[in-house]
Amino acid sequence: MIRARIISTGSYVPPKVLTNAELEKMVDTSNEWIVSRSGIRERRIVERDVATSDLAVQAALKALEMAGMSAEELDFIITGTNSPDMFFPCTSCFIQSKIGAKKAAGFDILAGCTSFIHTLSMADKFIKEDPKRKVMVLGAEIMSKITDWKDRGTCVLFGDGAGAVILTGEEGERGILSTHLHSDGSLWELLYMPGGGSANPPSHETIEKNLHCIKMAGNQLFKVAVRALAEVSQEALDFNGLKSEDIDYMIPHQANTRILEAAAKLINFPTERMYLNIERFGNTSSATIPIAIDEMNRSGKLKPGNLILLCSFGTGVTWGGGVIRW
Ligand code: ACO
């Protein structure tokens, strides 16, 4: 059996740290509220002149270095992002040009925080079509530039960062076992950015009304997210004939510690085997999972044969999951 296997990883977060104590000076909030409601203590924020592809390139170069590969060997670059450099061209094309991946086909996926699982799913299909292909998939976000820094309900949650993985085909049991993707567009108003697109093109009015920033109904989203994460995790387990106890690590989208603990409880998954780094980076949207995979990989936590359960949830609303044998 040929499977798409992750052969290397890389990640990058900008050096500038924004702590909860600093946020206390910006909006009516407290470190105690943020930590108890979300699990976040600090997040990384880019400087004004940095674009999403700049973060992605740093992650991409680390993944290439680990693989001992040149960028010219890549066949595809697929980036999950909700905060692209520009509406068009796609951020993957900027990454392609900056790293010199001359023959790679580049395109983006915009499916909320779930986007990275979509990119893995696409890589899996491309590699099953031709196992020799080398596919780089990324999650990269600059959430700080679409955040309303006066809205305490959202500005405490998000951060900037990027993660990349390279996959290729390999005979055997290691690799992506399955991916599972879902959406429910009727719930779009739970999380959206109204301004700048064809529905509300940029104007003085859209700027004055702050429509170019994240709008979120956090409390309603919370409940939908818990159910969706639990359901898609169970779906991924059932599809592969696995039980919670067979899984070595769950690597979830880092949205909120309480959401993840509640979802894990619904499927009887022990939180000790759930990887969390939200405390340090906040919610970096589609970048959370590849950053977490890279941290675990580089620290030697992931051993060949480990079973990893992925799950994510985001704007759309979208949700997705998958199982990887490392
Ligand atoms: N500091 C202090 N108080 C605050 C803050 C803050 N930063 N933000 C909101 N509050 C207040 C509210 O105004 C409200 O006050 P009120 O009772 O006087 O009206 C009170 O705290 C409770 O607000 P809730 O929204 O009910 O608080 P909740 O316990 O739901 O926590 C939170 C809010 C953390 C946003 C939570 O709902 C959540 O995490 N939701 C999911 C958000 C999420 O994960 N989004 C991203 C998913 S998709 C993606 O990753 C892109």
Side-chain angles (χ1 to χ4, degrees):
M1 175 99 185
I2 299 280
R3 293 193 190 279
R5 186 170 87 77
I6 295 176
I7 56 166
S8 77
T9 62
S11 65
Y12 179 77
V13 290
K16 187 172 164 188
V17 177
L18 180 66
T19 63
N20 289 350
E22 288 167 282
L23 279 166
E24 284 178 358
K25 293 181 202 140
M26 294 161 63
V27 286
D28 180 14
T29 191
S30 66
N31 176 54
E32 193 278 329
W33 192 97
I34 302 170
V35 174
S36 66
R37 300 289 176 120
S38 71
I40 302 165
R41 290 184 187 276
E42 59 185 43
R43 68 288 292 143
R44 302 299 184 94
I45 304 289
V46 294
E47 301 293 344
R48 185 76 216 148
D49 59 347
V50 175
T52 299
S53 64
D54 296 323
L55 301 186
V57 162
Q58 296 306 319
L61 292 175
K62 289 183 186 176
L64 284 168
E65 186 186 22
M66 184 187 279
M69 263 173 67
S70 96
E72 291 181 15
E73 293 176 65
L74 293 173
D75 296 289
F76 287 91
I77 297 175
I78 314 171
T79 308
T81 184
N82 302 278
S83 48
D85 287 22
M86 299 180 190
F87 257 154
F88 59 86
C90 65
T91 299
S92 295
C93 282
F94 285 117
I95 299 166
Q96 179 206 27
S97 145
K98 288 179 185 178
I99 65 174
K102 289 199 181 83
K103 74 166 177 181
F107 62 95
D108 294 358
I109 302 269
L110 200 169
C113 303
T114 319
S115 301
F116 182 73
I117 299 196
H118 289 75
T119 68
L120 275 183
S121 192
M122 302 237 46
D124 190 30
K125 271 93 196 164
F126 282 131
I127 287 168
K128 285 200 172 125
E129 213 175 65
D130 178 357
K132 291 189 298 302
R133 283 175 171 158
K134 294 184 171 63
V135 182
M136 176 182 279
V137 302
L138 305 100
E141 304 280 6
I142 295 189
M143 302 303 285
S144 62
K145 291 191 188 179
I146 54 168
T147 294
D148 178 351
W149 290 103
K150 294 195 175 76
D151 175 12
R152 67 176 183 172
T154 54
C155 75
V156 302
L157 298 176
F158 297 100
D160 304 336
V165 307
I166 299 174
L167 303 102
T168 193
E170 201 175 277
E171 186 80 42
E173 292 308 310
R174 296 175 68 191
I176 297 177
L177 304 192
S178 69
T179 52
H180 309 268
L181 305 172
H182 300 278
S183 57
D184 181 353
S186 71
L187 299 175
W188 67 273
E189 280 178 294
L190 297 187
L191 182 58
Y192 64 112
M193 190 182 96
S198 56
N200 296 297
S203 65
H204 290 295
E205 196 190 350
T206 60
I207 304 275
E208 274 153 24
K209 289 187 175 164
N210 225 358
L211 299 188
H212 300 270
C213 294
I214 299 164
K215 311 285 171 198
M216 186 176 79
N219 198 283
Q220 292 169 58
L221 199 58
F222 191 103
K223 292 171 197 143
V224 179
V226 169
R227 201 183 56 239
L229 288 169
E231 280 176 10
V232 80
S233 297
Q234 193 61 55
E235 179 187 350
L237 291 173
D238 292 346
F239 184 87
N240 293 291
L242 297 168
K243 299 205 170 338
S244 290
E245 50 268 33
D246 299 322
I247 297 294
D248 295 288
Y249 295 105
M250 180 197 278
I251 308 182
H253 166 47
Q254 317 277 316
N256 176 319
T257 309
R258 285 191 306 143
I259 291 179
L260 299 176
E261 286 170 355
K265 200 169 166 196
L266 286 179
I267 60 161
N268 292 319
F269 193 89
T271 43
E272 309 82 73
R273 282 191 273 127
M274 186 161 72
Y275 188 76
L276 290 175
N277 61 14
I278 188 169
E279 191 180 43
R280 289 174 285 131
F281 304 133
N283 179 348
T284 56
S285 189
S286 55
T288 67
I289 292 181
I291 291 174
I293 293 177
D294 183 50
E295 281 196 338
M296 293 183 78
N297 188 25
R298 283 175 193 266
S299 65
K301 279 198 171 66
L302 300 177
K303 310 283 182 231
N306 275 174
L307 281 170
I308 300 165
L309 175 64
L310 306 177
C311 58
S312 188
F313 177 86
T315 175
V317 297
T318 61
W319 63 102
V323 180
I324 294 174
R325 194 188 302 277
W326 192 256

PDB file of all heavy atoms in Angstrom, residues 85 157 165 208 230 267:
ATOM      1  N   ASP A  85      -1.360  37.207   1.717  1.00  0.00           N
ATOM      2  CA  ASP A  85      -0.638  38.458   1.432  1.00  0.00           C
ATOM      3  C   ASP A  85      -1.573  39.443   0.716  1.00  0.00           C
ATOM      4  O   ASP A  85      -1.613  40.625   1.024  1.00  0.00           O
ATOM      5  CB  ASP A  85       0.554  38.197   0.492  1.00  0.00           C
ATOM      6  CG  ASP A  85       1.701  37.486   1.187  1.00  0.00           C
ATOM      7  OD1 ASP A  85       1.458  36.832   2.213  1.00  0.00           O
ATOM      8  OD2 ASP A  85       2.838  37.589   0.692  1.00  0.00           O
ATOM      9  N   LEU A 157      -7.370  36.427  21.638  1.00  0.00           N
ATOM     10  CA  LEU A 157      -7.330  35.002  21.269  1.00  0.00           C
ATOM     11  C   LEU A 157      -6.284  34.638  20.203  1.00  0.00           C
ATOM     12  O   LEU A 157      -5.779  33.524  20.205  1.00  0.00           O
ATOM     13  CB  LEU A 157      -8.700  34.565  20.722  1.00  0.00           C
ATOM     14  CG  LEU A 157      -9.889  34.677  21.681  1.00  0.00           C
ATOM     15  CD1 LEU A 157     -11.176  34.311  20.958  1.00  0.00           C
ATOM     16  CD2 LEU A 157      -9.679  33.778  22.889  1.00  0.00           C
ATOM     17  N   VAL A 165       4.903  21.179   6.270  1.00  0.00           N
ATOM     18  CA  VAL A 165       5.356  19.780   6.238  1.00  0.00           C
ATOM     19  C   VAL A 165       5.561  19.376   4.774  1.00  0.00           C
ATOM     20  O   VAL A 165       4.899  19.897   3.885  1.00  0.00           O
ATOM     21  CB  VAL A 165       4.384  18.781   6.936  1.00  0.00           C
ATOM     22  CG1 VAL A 165       4.051  19.232   8.351  1.00  0.00           C
ATOM     23  CG2 VAL A 165       3.112  18.555   6.148  1.00  0.00           C
ATOM     24  N   GLU A 208     -14.650  52.840   8.344  1.00  0.00           N
ATOM     25  CA  GLU A 208     -15.221  53.484   9.545  1.00  0.00           C
ATOM     26  C   GLU A 208     -15.945  52.480  10.436  1.00  0.00           C
ATOM     27  O   GLU A 208     -15.893  52.559  11.659  1.00  0.00           O
ATOM     28  CB  GLU A 208     -16.198  54.593   9.137  1.00  0.00           C
ATOM     29  CG  GLU A 208     -15.521  55.927   8.884  1.00  0.00           C
ATOM     30  CD  GLU A 208     -16.304  56.795   7.893  1.00  0.00           C
ATOM     31  OE1 GLU A 208     -17.535  56.593   7.768  1.00  0.00           O
ATOM     32  OE2 GLU A 208     -15.684  57.649   7.240  1.00  0.00           O
ATOM     33  N   ALA A 230     -15.543  16.716  18.504  1.00  0.00           N
ATOM     34  CA  ALA A 230     -15.756  15.367  19.041  1.00  0.00           C
ATOM     35  C   ALA A 230     -16.266  14.438  17.937  1.00  0.00           C
ATOM     36  O   ALA A 230     -15.777  13.310  17.782  1.00  0.00           O
ATOM     37  CB  ALA A 230     -16.745  15.423  20.203  1.00  0.00           C
ATOM     38  N   ILE A 267     -15.320  12.080  23.757  1.00  0.00           N
ATOM     39  CA  ILE A 267     -14.870  10.821  23.126  1.00  0.00           C
ATOM     40  C   ILE A 267     -13.946  10.028  24.062  1.00  0.00           C
ATOM     41  O   ILE A 267     -13.220   9.135  23.619  1.00  0.00           O
ATOM     42  CB  ILE A 267     -14.175  11.054  21.758  1.00  0.00           C
ATOM     43  CG1 ILE A 267     -12.921  11.951  21.902  1.00  0.00           C
ATOM     44  CG2 ILE A 267     -15.135  11.636  20.736  1.00  0.00           C
ATOM     45  CD1 ILE A 267     -11.966  11.830  20.716  1.00  0.00           C
TER      46      ILE A 267
END
